[in-house]
Amino acid sequence: MFLYLPVEHEAELPGLGWRRTFGLRVLWSGEAGDEEVMILPHVSTDFGFTLRLASLLTREQADPFRLLDGLEGWL
């Protein structure tokens, strides 16, 4: 089972200086315990949004690798 958790970072944003940002930590939770799959930094500056996104992605069991493909397509 994939678990998405919000994580806090700091980033220097162009024209804004240093800001607190929130990303997603992705874990695979299995019989052997939790294993970190990846960290997606700087998703948003809004913790509430990032928390809701993490909850949605966990509930829907979104594959993080397919998620990256989708994000790449948007960019």
Side-chain angles (χ1 to χ4, degrees):
M1 170 179 193
F2 288 112
L3 297 173
Y4 288 82
L5 304 168
V7 292
E8 185 176 341
H9 299 276
E10 284 197 17
E12 188 171 7
L13 303 175
L16 298 175
W18 287 94
R19 294 286 189 257
R20 184 169 52 164
T21 65
F22 300 94
L24 295 171
R25 180 176 183 215
V26 185
L27 302 176
W28 173 255
S29 183
E31 292 180 20
D34 295 342
E35 179 181 340
E36 186 171 273
V37 175
M38 69 177 61
I39 293 182
L40 303 169
H42 317 301
V43 170
S44 177
T45 57
D46 183 337
F47 176 74
F49 169 80
T50 308
L51 183 61
R52 289 187 301 277
L53 180 61
S55 177
L56 173 67
L57 294 171
T58 298
R59 184 174 61 246
E60 296 298 322
Q61 282 301 285
D63 182 330
F65 302 104
R66 295 185 136 223
L67 180 67
L68 287 176
D69 289 342
L71 290 174
E72 187 176 276
W74 293 345
L75 301 174

